[in-house]
């Protein structure tokens, strides 16, 4: 066995070590899930009760096939399964409001179908949800357990911390509070959420009970020895709890507004002709290179992401503005787009590696590189607003992608002039020649096109290996 | 301080105790709503159509 392991370069994933039911591992770059004997009965119930088929039909669970691969740790092993591989793993602190809300509703829908088949979710972690062909779905096949009448829902506290608390904070306070999930890896502590939420949330029955009173109860009962729990929560009571969580989540909304970038396309001064020209070029270059994975860095509401997505296997559209990402995600849902994922990301401080040993959640860079990067109307923000020297920008893009479609916005452009009004111009090399010199160190420049009716240029570059 | 201020106190079991209380209340609510729906349907009152944003999620 050790021989095989060495020969095949198999290793377990650092993101799934907690669950005694099994874990993920890769072998020859293929992702498998080992199921342990401890989980045998629960797995049999999931598959035999019809729950698995029902959840797959509804797109609520990631499909898998049973595999004849040898397990990684054979002593405990019961089975090895081959889950469908996702093109890109995203995390709740990268989701917009509606993405987190849909993830919450998907979790509750899974719990409802599970209860109809005599099972229950043993955890309700937001990290167990991913966007599968555009829709929120559970990716942890081992989250189910056989339901014992009378048992409370083990995942209740986790659901409130991972979903309800951040959604309430985003809805009632500020959408940027989703970033608390980056600090608290097991969700927002309820006492913190209760303290941050405005007093009027105490008049929302769901938030009053599941967050405010729940937080108070945690404090009050924390030092009391726990009472025997058998027979504590009837099935009807559990249904009531799940339905209450559902209606509380549904009642939370976020009105688009106060957006920084959401109305960017209306505010820009450059003409419709330049905009259309840029769209044509992005579309044509993506069609020519047929990239597997495209990252649109600074994708706003995804207009250009969609031009590339038409020829790409999968496109991730990153933007710093949660309102733009929200609009983009709503469009994905409306158009039923299956290969476009909008995410919130601050390029000047991208998602780090998080969790135990800094290895549970991958950094932004570790989830790449992409085949093609789009960096449209973004370079002036990085170079001028954020003072990143051009050679460092070239290094950054070279580290994350092979092909680069990048727009150069000169100083004479009114958008750049706006950035320079409030500060000294300390950027003597920020001009077309300086830009090309900096990027030519890392990239072969294949095409340069002057965008019609504007002073901007669009480049197609290929990284030197 | 490296961990939470009360490392030996388990807010998880406190949550479970709280859940027993609150779920009983919410379960009673479900029972009342479901019998009210039955009475209404007995009287021939049709339930309202759900057409909000989350209709799509209800279908799932």
């Amino acid at each position: 066995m050790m021989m095989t392991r060495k020969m095949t370069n198999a290793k377990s994933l650092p993101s799934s070590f907690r669950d005694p039911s099994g874990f993920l591992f890769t072998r020859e770059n293929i992702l498998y899930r080992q199921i342990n004997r401890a989980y045998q009965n629960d797995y049999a119930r999931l598959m035999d009760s019809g729950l698995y088929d029902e959840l797959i039909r509804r797109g609520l669970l990631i499909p898998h096939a049973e595999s004849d691969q040898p397990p990684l740790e054979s002593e405990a092993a019961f089975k090895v399964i081959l889950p469908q591989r996702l093109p890109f793993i995203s995390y709740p602190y990268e989701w917009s409001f509606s993405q987190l809300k849909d993830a919450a509703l998907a979790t509750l829908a899974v719990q409802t179908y599970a209860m109809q088949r005599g099972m229950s979710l043993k955890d309700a972690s937001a990290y167990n949800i991913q966007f599968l062909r555009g829709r929120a779905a559970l990716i942890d096949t081992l989250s189910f357990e056989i339901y014992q009448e009378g048992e409370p829902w083990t995942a209740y506290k986790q659901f409130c911390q991972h979903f309800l608390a951040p959604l309430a904070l985003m809805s009632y306070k500020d959408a940027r509070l989703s970033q608390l999930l980056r600090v608290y890896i097991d969700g927002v502590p309820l006492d913190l959420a209760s303290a941050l939420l405005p007093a009027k949330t105490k008049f929302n029955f769901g938030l009053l009970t599941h967050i405010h009173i729940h937080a108070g109860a945690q404090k009050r009962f924390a030092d009391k020895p726990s009472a025997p729990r058998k027979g504590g929560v009837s099935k009807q009571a559990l249904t009531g709890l799940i339905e209450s969580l559902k209606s509380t989540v549904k009642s939370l909304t976020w009105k688009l507004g106060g957006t920084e970038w959401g109305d960017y396309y209306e505010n820009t001064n450059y003409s419709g002709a330049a905009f259309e020209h840029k769209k044509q070029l992005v579309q044509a270059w993506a069609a020519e290179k047929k990239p597997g994975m495209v990252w649109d860095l600074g994708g706003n509401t995804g207009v250009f992401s969609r031009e590339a997505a038409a020829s790409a296997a999968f496109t991730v559209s990153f933007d710093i503005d949660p309102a733009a990402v929200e609009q983009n995600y709503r469009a994905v849902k409306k158009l039923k787009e299956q290969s476009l994922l909008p995410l919130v990301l601050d390029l000047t401080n991208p998602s780090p590696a998080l969790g135990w040993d800094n290895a549970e959640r991958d950094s932004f860079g570790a989830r790449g590189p992409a085949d093609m990067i789009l960096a449209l109307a973004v370079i002036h923000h990085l170079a001028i607003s954020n003072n990143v020297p051009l050679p460092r920008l070239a290094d950054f893009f070279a580290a994350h992608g092979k092909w680069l479609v990048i727009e150069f916005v000169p100083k004479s452009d009114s958008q750049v002039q706006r950035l320079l009004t409030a500060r000294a111009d300390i950027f003597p090399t920020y001009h077309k020649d300086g830009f090309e010199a900096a990027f030519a160190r890392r990239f072969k420049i294949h095409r340069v096109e002057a965008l019609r009716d504007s002073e901007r240029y669009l480049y197609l570059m290929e990284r030197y290996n | 301080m490296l961990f939470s201020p009360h490392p030996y106190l388990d807010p998880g079991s406190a949550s479970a105790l709280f859940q027993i209380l609150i779920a009983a209340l919410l379960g009673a609510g479900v029972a009342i709503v479901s019998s009210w729906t039955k009475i209404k349907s007995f009287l021939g009152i049709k339930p309202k159509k759900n057409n909000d944003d989350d209709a799509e999620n209800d279908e799932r």
Side-chain angles (χ1 to χ4, degrees):
Chain A
M1 203 60 227
M2 283 305 290
M3 275 278 288
T4 327
R5 235 188 261 184
K6 269 184 195 149
M7 276 162 56
T8 56
N9 191 24
K11 58 177 191 294
S12 63
L13 257 62
S15 56
S16 70
F17 59 85
R18 277 198 188 89
D19 190 355
S21 309
F23 57 89
L24 290 163
F25 66 96
T26 55
R27 181 179 284 145
E28 303 291 352
N29 261 328
I30 298 175
L31 180 72
Y32 300 98
R33 192 184 284 280
Q34 171 170 329
I35 302 177
N36 290 338
R37 278 198 299 275
Y39 194 70
Q40 186 170 350
N41 292 340
D42 300 281
Y43 180 75
R45 176 72 69 93
L46 169 69
M47 301 309 290
D48 301 341
S49 64
L51 177 59
Y52 174 83
D53 291 329
E54 168 144 42
L55 294 176
I56 296 298
R57 190 160 41 82
R58 295 180 184 275
L60 282 167
L61 178 66
I62 193 158
H64 71 258
E66 296 194 353
S67 162
D68 48 16
Q69 276 284 321
L72 189 66
E73 289 170 15
S74 51
E75 310 82 61
F78 161 61
K79 218 181 246 308
V80 171
I81 62 173
L82 179 68
Q84 182 184 320
R85 192 125 191 205
L86 291 156
F88 190 86
I89 296 289
S90 62
Y91 300 124
Y93 43 84
E94 297 168 335
W95 298 343
S96 71
F97 177 82
S98 289
Q99 287 174 303
L100 186 60
K101 182 174 171 176
D102 285 350
L105 292 173
T107 303
L108 294 172
V110 169
Q111 172 65 7
T112 299
Y113 292 119
M115 282 169 63
Q116 289 167 3
R117 311 264 183 175
M119 297 200 86
S120 180
L121 282 175
K122 63 182 175 186
D123 40 34
S125 162
Y127 297 92
N128 282 347
I129 300 287
Q130 290 294 326
F131 290 87
L132 179 65
R133 291 189 292 277
R135 303 185 73 191
L138 182 72
I139 58 158
D140 185 7
T141 316
L142 310 188
S143 281
F144 301 90
E145 63 185 2
I146 295 171
Y147 171 65
Q148 308 285 349
E149 174 94 36
E151 280 287 303
W153 189 34
T154 359
Y156 174 59
K157 182 187 100 163
Q158 198 178 36
F159 183 87
C160 293
Q161 293 185 165
H162 281 230
F163 294 108
L164 200 55
L167 283 170
L169 288 166
M170 289 166 88
S171 172
Y172 279 94
K173 202 82 191 178
D174 194 306
R176 291 170 292 187
L177 286 168
S178 62
Q179 294 310 300
L180 283 174
L181 291 171
R182 195 159 134 167
V183 181
Y184 296 102
I185 200 152
D186 198 24
V188 182
L190 297 182
D191 60 331
L192 178 60
S194 177
L196 291 176
L197 282 168
K200 68 177 174 188
T201 55
K202 292 184 177 161
F203 296 96
N204 174 320
F205 180 76
L207 297 181
L208 174 69
T209 48
H210 301 303
I211 293 187
H212 294 295
I213 303 180
H214 190 174
Q218 285 181 340
K219 206 173 161 191
R220 183 162 317 148
F221 296 143
D223 51 355
K224 311 271 191 302
S226 47
R229 288 189 216 154
K230 285 277 174 210
V233 178
S234 70
K235 191 166 181 187
Q236 187 180 59
L238 185 53
T239 308
L241 182 77
I242 302 299
E243 290 306 315
S244 165
L245 289 171
K246 261 186 212 171
S247 66
T248 308
V249 169
K250 283 182 188 174
S251 77
L252 298 172
T253 55
W254 182 43
K255 300 267 178 289
L256 286 174
T259 164
E260 200 183 341
W261 293 108
D263 53 357
Y264 182 76
Y265 293 127
E266 281 86 66
N267 278 343
T268 48
N269 61 335
Y270 74 122
S271 72
F275 191 82
E276 285 306 317
H277 191 200
K278 194 157 93 172
K279 269 168 79 171
Q280 282 166 19
L281 290 171
V282 170
Q283 195 267 331
W285 291 347
E288 190 183 307
K289 302 302 168 202
K290 294 192 175 40
M293 171 68 75
V294 174
W295 285 359
D296 185 357
L297 305 179
N300 202 304
T301 58
V303 171
F304 298 100
S305 307
R306 284 176 173 80
E307 296 299 327
S311 310
F314 199 81
T315 303
V316 190
S317 187
F318 297 97
D319 202 275
I320 191 174
D321 178 12
V325 177
E326 175 74 13
Q327 243 174 293
N328 196 349
Y329 176 67
R330 289 184 188 189
V332 165
K333 275 176 72 169
K334 201 171 159 197
L335 304 168
K336 297 197 186 329
E337 290 167 316
Q338 303 197 354
S339 60
L340 180 64
L341 178 64
L343 292 176
V344 178
L345 185 83
D346 178 356
L347 266 184
T348 66
N349 181 24
S351 305
L354 292 177
W356 178 249
D357 206 13
N358 292 111
E360 280 185 84
R361 313 289 167 228
D362 281 337
S363 70
F364 160 75
R367 287 173 277 167
D371 298 308
M372 182 179 271
I373 286 181
L374 306 185
L376 307 173
V378 75
I379 188 113
H380 52 306
H381 294 291
L382 299 173
I384 293 179
S385 310
N386 200 49
N387 283 20
V388 184
L390 289 169
R392 281 188 179 239
L393 280 171
D395 291 343
F396 174 82
F397 290 119
H400 297 300
K402 178 171 189 272
W403 292 94
L404 175 64
V405 177
I406 188 165
E407 181 178 2
F408 181 70
V409 187
K411 265 185 203 167
S412 52
D413 187 281
S414 63
Q415 297 293 113
V416 181
Q417 283 302 314
R418 272 172 66 181
L419 296 179
L420 284 170
T421 45
R423 52 174 308 158
D425 183 353
I426 50 163
F427 311 99
T429 59
Y430 189 88
H431 45 65
K432 185 167 177 277
D433 291 342
F435 168 77
E436 287 178 6
F439 276 71
R441 284 169 49 252
R442 304 302 306 265
F443 292 91
K444 179 171 165 52
I445 298 174
H446 286 276
R447 314 262 168 81
V448 191
E449 296 271 351
L451 291 173
R452 265 176 230 139
D453 278 0
S454 84
E455 296 172 273
R456 301 174 170 208
Y457 291 87
L458 198 67
Y459 291 80
L460 175 66
M461 307 185 183
E462 182 184 7
R463 180 186 64 201
Y464 293 120
N465 283 317
Chain B
M1 201 158 45
L2 207 50
F3 294 104
S4 81
H6 306 290
Y8 298 104
L9 305 181
D10 177 11
S13 57
S15 277
L17 273 174
F18 169 69
Q19 186 189 149
I20 292 169
L21 301 175
I22 198 70
L25 186 76
L26 295 167
V30 168
I32 292 164
V33 169
S34 105
S35 42
W36 180 238
T37 314
K38 275 179 199 156
I39 293 165
K40 281 203 290 189
S41 94
F42 178 72
L43 297 173
I45 303 165
K46 280 178 190 156
K48 273 187 286 178
K49 275 236 159 70
N50 189 350
N51 56 359
D52 62 18
D53 282 355
D54 298 311
E56 191 210 355
N57 282 299
D58 290 343
E59 283 166 27
R60 302 177 84 180

